[in-house]
C-alpha cells in the first residue's frame, strides 16, 4: 500500500509541474499561424488578380473592337468598369492601334498587398485578350 501511495503522489507532482505548458506552446505557435494565414491570403489576392486581369482584357478587347469611333477610350473604359477599387488605381491598359485581323488588349494590374505601407511588394499581373476585327 505504501508504494502505491508514493507512486500516485509522484504522478500528481509530475502533472502539477506540467501545468500551463499548453498555454505557453499556444502563445509560441500563434504568430506562426498568423503568418501562415497572411501568406495564404496574399496568395489568394494574387490568384484573384490573375482572374481580374484576364477578364478585364477580354471585356476591353470586345468593347474596343465593337466601337466605331474612339476604340482606345472604349477599350479602357470597358476594362476598368468591372475592376474593384483596389485594382483600378494602378491598372495599365494597352489597346491595339495596329491594323490586322485581331483587336488586342493588354491589361497590367498590381497585386494589392494585405498590409499596405508596411510592404510595398506589389507584383504585376498581365492579362491579354484578342477579338476578331469586325468590318
Amino acid at each position: 500500500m505504501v508504494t502505491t501511495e508514493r507512486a500516485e503522489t509522484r504522478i500528481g507532482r509530475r502533472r502539477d509541474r506540467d501545468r500551463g505548458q499548453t498555454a505557453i506552446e499556444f502563445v509560441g505557435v500563434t504568430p506562426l499561424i498568423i503568418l501562415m494565414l497572411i501568406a495564404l491570403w496574399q496568395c489568394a489576392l494574387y490568384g484573384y488578380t490573375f482572374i481580374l486581369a484576364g477578364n478585364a482584357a477580354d471585356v476591353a478587347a470586345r468593347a474596343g473592337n465593337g466601337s466605331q469611333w474612339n476604340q482606345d477610350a472604349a477599350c479602357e473604359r470597358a476594362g476598368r468598369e468591372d475592376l474593384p477599387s483596389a485594382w483600378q488605381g494602378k491598372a495599365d491598359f494597352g489597346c491595339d492601334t495596329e491594323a490586322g485581323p485581331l483587336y488586342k488588349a493588354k491589361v497590367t494590374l498590381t497585386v494589392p498587398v494585405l498590409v499596405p505601407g508596411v510592404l510595398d511588394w506589389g507584383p504585376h499581373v498581365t492579362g491579354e485578350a484578342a477579338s476578331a476585327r469586325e468590318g
Side-chain angles (χ1 to χ4, degrees):
M1 291 261 196
V2 174
T3 56
T4 308
E5 289 177 13
R6 286 184 187 169
E8 288 175 2
T9 306
R10 275 190 240 140
I11 292 172
R13 287 182 194 155
R14 224 179 282 156
R15 284 185 190 155
D16 289 341
R17 195 174 56 204
D18 290 342
R19 288 183 95 176
Q21 181 176 351
T22 305
I24 297 297
E25 289 175 359
F26 179 74
V27 169
V29 173
T30 300
L32 296 175
I33 293 170
I34 291 171
L35 285 174
M36 180 62 80
L37 291 174
I38 288 172
L40 289 173
W41 185 255
Q42 192 61 48
C43 289
L45 282 174
Y46 200 75
Y48 187 54
T49 303
F50 267 105
I51 293 169
L52 288 175
N55 183 55
D58 188 38
V59 169
R62 280 186 276 132
N65 187 26
S67 178
Q68 293 180 353
W69 291 281
N70 193 352
Q71 290 182 329
D72 292 341
C75 172
E76 186 170 343
R77 186 177 63 246
R80 284 190 187 275
E81 190 173 306
D82 292 334
L83 286 178
S85 60
W87 283 267
Q88 282 189 6
K90 296 181 182 178
D92 183 35
F93 288 83
C95 299
D96 186 19
T97 57
E98 300 175 12
L102 298 174
Y103 183 86
K104 298 177 184 177
K106 183 178 180 180
V107 178
T108 304
L109 300 177
T110 302
V111 179
V113 181
L114 179 64
V115 186
V118 175
L119 300 171
D120 290 329
W121 174 46
H124 301 288
V125 173
T126 302
E128 297 180 13
S131 177
R133 289 200 187 267
E134 297 176 2

